[in-house]
Amino acid sequence: MNHDTILHSLIADNLVSDPESARGRLLREAARLFRDKGYERTTVRDLAAAVGIQSGSLFHHFRTKEEILKAVMVETIRLNTAVMQAAMDAADTNREKLRALISAELESINGQTGEAMAVLVFEWRSLSEPSQAEVLKLRDIYESLWLEVLTALKEEGALVADPFVVRRMLTGALSWTVTWYRPERGGLSQEGLTDQVMAMLGLSKADSR
Amino acid sequence: MNHDTILHSLIADNLVSDPESARGRLLREAARLFRDKGYERTTVRDLAAAVGIQSGSLFHHFRTKEEILKAVMVETIRLNTAVMQAAMDAADTNREKLRALISAELESINGQTGEAMAVLVFEWRSLSEPSQAEVLKLRDIYESLWLEVLTALKEEGALVADPFVVRRMLTGALSWTVTWYRPERGGLSQEGLTDQVMAMLGLSKADSR
DNA sequence: TTACAAACCAAGCGCTTGCTTGGTATGGTC
DNA sequence: GACCATACCAAGCAAGCGCTTGGTTTGTAA
């Protein structure tokens, strides 16, 4: 199950929009703008211009501006949960499963579609409370993947700290990479960065204690 | 050198505003509002109402709304650099110095004046580019404290990963605690949380490798 | 008592915002 | 060829925004 296969299966189930469709293109541009300028600083006129229509025409596709933000978040979390699940299933040991999760999360936030993931993390407050509750449910599924693996590692004795705390720390640390990590400028590769995170946790391959 | 001594010395040097003064009170309320609602969602009318004056009167104290954000950030980073420096100086070993830094940063973001620190982290994008450059200079001093200790630990062999990467990861992890860590609801104390972070890095007292 | 600056109010200006409205192409279906 | 839903445009409305203005109160010091 590679990334594209997962994407198309979700599109078929109507769980995420086809990036080729009008809706999909708008959501992608919206994610980019929301990440670059923030939700509040992005106007409906900005959004419309990005896809080449009039600002009023946006409201044929979405009832409100906030609905666009919500759609970006919901579709992003759906896609990423599926991708993470697949990455985890493909790994054998718990240590490898964790590595797969870290690598996948780094990819999802720093990769090509990373705009949407950054929006999910940093624009949370701009979502109305009812919408937050909705997205929160989806996020719980996503988080349970992590806790499962971290708890297993703790039981193995490979992890000293509390799984719940470690996951929260990793959430912050990994999402923060979007503010400083620039792989295209040379230096550390994404795999290299994953290694660094594993090393930081004392979970490198060579490192058995 | 305790926290209050440092604060008063900075006030005397006119580097931060007295929290009792009109300006100081405004900045504190601004920090709280900016953290809770975000800079863009906070109106000058909100700010004025929080200190009990008319919205127009704000502009007697600050030329623009953005100047208020900048002042919050500049004063916060000045205070915290001084506090961190003192915490570090009071520690003996490098391991203890790092622990002091982590503990101090957790305190600065989750403690009583944590609003301002959260603003510094999460409202960065709302600052104009010239102001960003100004604050960035101050932040570099702050960051050099961390890198100094982390590099020393690496040379000691106590740290495996790259100091620069570790600092970035810690920045994300520690600042993210503001979104989930609620010490007042019982559970983990701030010292306990510091222990967890040290354990995660494989730098607990008992843990010598 | 006078003088004066700092702190504030009451009113509102000019502009941008999210969103609405009435109407017009476009493409597929019977 | 009539019908109709989908996708869009052109224009603009009501509300809220940051900020300005002219004038008043308050505190301080000679």
Side-chain angles (χ1 to χ4, degrees):
Chain A
M1 284 285 269
N2 67 7
H3 192 281
D4 269 7
T5 318
I6 295 169
L7 176 60
H8 285 111
S9 130
L10 288 172
I11 293 172
D13 292 348
N14 241 335
L15 291 172
V16 315
S17 320
D18 189 339
E20 312 273 318
S21 72
R23 182 186 158 99
R25 272 194 16 255
L26 172 60
L27 288 182
R28 205 181 53 217
E29 291 299 319
R32 195 178 53 79
L33 285 165
F34 289 164
R35 187 200 54 178
D36 291 349
K37 323 197 339 175
Y39 172 77
E40 311 289 346
R41 291 177 103 92
T42 305
T43 70
V44 293
R45 287 165 180 82
D46 291 335
L47 292 170
V51 291
I53 59 174
Q54 292 294 105
S55 68
S57 306
L58 272 186
F59 296 88
H60 174 71
H61 300 279
F62 297 90
R63 279 204 314 259
T64 63
K65 181 187 171 191
E66 199 219 327
E67 202 174 282
I68 299 176
L69 177 62
K70 185 174 138 192
V72 167
M73 291 190 173
V74 167
E75 297 204 0
T76 301
I77 204 162
R78 278 184 187 148
L79 176 60
N80 277 291
T81 305
V83 168
M84 303 288 267
Q85 182 70 257
M88 226 181 81
D89 291 349
D92 291 327
T93 67
N94 285 318
R95 188 171 299 203
E96 280 169 16
K97 279 178 199 289
L98 180 63
R99 199 184 185 288
L101 286 179
I102 291 170
S103 176
E105 193 158 288
L106 281 172
E107 167 63 26
S108 78
I109 197 156
N110 292 294
Q112 288 175 3
T113 57
E115 296 96 348
M117 194 67 181
V119 169
L120 184 56
V121 174
F122 292 105
E123 302 297 330
W124 182 253
R125 245 184 353 196
S126 296
L127 214 58
S128 70
E129 288 212 24
S131 301
Q132 279 190 17
E134 230 171 299
V135 179
L136 207 53
K137 275 188 201 163
L138 294 173
R139 211 189 61 177
D140 281 346
I141 304 170
Y142 183 88
E143 291 300 316
S144 67
L145 294 179
W146 284 87
L147 286 176
E148 198 181 304
V149 176
L150 288 170
T151 305
L153 280 167
K154 171 96 179 185
E155 276 163 13
E156 282 177 17
L159 195 71
V160 181
D162 174 67
F164 182 80
V165 172
V166 172
R167 169 52 187 155
R168 293 299 173 112
M169 294 288 170
L170 280 175
T171 304
L174 298 182
S175 57
W176 191 247
T177 58
V178 81
T179 67
W180 62 271
Y181 178 55
R182 294 285 174 274
E184 72 276 12
R185 284 209 215 134
L188 207 52
S189 71
Q190 221 163 95
E191 284 308 293
L193 186 55
T194 308
D195 289 337
Q196 290 279 330
V197 178
M198 290 295 278
M200 210 178 70
L201 296 173
L203 287 169
S204 306
K205 252 182 199 161
D207 188 20
S208 62
R209 41 170 182 173
Chain B
M1 284 284 267
N2 67 9
H3 191 282
D4 268 8
T5 318
I6 296 170
L7 176 60
H8 285 111
S9 130
L10 288 172
I11 293 172
D13 292 348
N14 241 337
L15 291 172
V16 314
S17 317
D18 189 339
E20 313 273 318
S21 73
R23 183 186 157 98
R25 272 193 15 254
L26 173 59
L27 288 181
R28 206 180 54 216
E29 292 298 321
R32 195 177 52 80
L33 284 166
F34 289 164
R35 187 198 55 176
D36 290 349
K37 323 197 337 175
Y39 173 77
E40 310 288 346
R41 290 178 102 93
T42 305
T43 70
V44 293
R45 288 165 179 84
D46 291 335
L47 292 170
V51 291
I53 58 174
Q54 292 295 105
S55 68
S57 306
L58 272 186
F59 296 88
H60 175 72
H61 300 279
F62 296 90
R63 279 203 315 258
T64 63
K65 180 188 170 191
E66 199 219 327
E67 203 174 282
I68 299 176
L69 177 62
K70 185 175 138 191
V72 167
M73 291 190 173
V74 167
E75 298 204 0
T76 301
I77 203 161
R78 278 184 187 148
L79 176 59
N80 277 291
T81 305
V83 168
M84 303 287 267
Q85 182 70 260
M88 228 181 80
D89 291 349
D92 292 326
T93 68
N94 284 319
R95 187 171 301 203
E96 280 169 17
K97 280 179 198 290
L98 180 64
R99 197 184 187 287
L101 286 179
I102 291 170
S103 175
E105 193 159 287
L106 281 172
E107 167 63 25
S108 79
I109 198 158
N110 292 295
Q112 287 174 5
T113 57
E115 295 94 349
M117 194 67 182
V119 169
L120 182 57
V121 174
F122 292 105
E123 301 297 329
W124 183 253
R125 248 185 351 197
S126 296
L127 214 58
S128 71
E129 287 211 25
S131 302
Q132 280 189 19
E134 230 171 299
V135 179
L136 206 54
K137 275 187 201 162
L138 294 173
R139 211 189 60 176
D140 281 346
I141 304 170
Y142 183 88
E143 290 300 318
S144 67
L145 294 179
W146 285 86
L147 285 175
E148 197 180 304
V149 177
L150 288 170
T151 306
L153 281 167
K154 171 97 179 182
E155 276 163 13
E156 282 177 17
L159 195 71
V160 181
D162 175 68
F164 182 81
V165 173
V166 171
R167 170 51 189 156
R168 293 299 172 113
M169 293 288 169
L170 279 176
T171 305
L174 298 181
S175 56
W176 191 248
T177 58
V178 81
T179 68
W180 62 271
Y181 178 56
R182 294 284 174 273
E184 70 277 13
R185 282 209 216 134
L188 208 52
S189 72
Q190 222 162 97
E191 283 308 292
L193 185 55
T194 308
D195 289 337
Q196 290 280 330
V197 177
M198 290 295 278
M200 210 177 69
L201 296 173
L203 287 169
S204 307
K205 252 182 200 159
D207 188 20
S208 63
R209 43 171 179 169

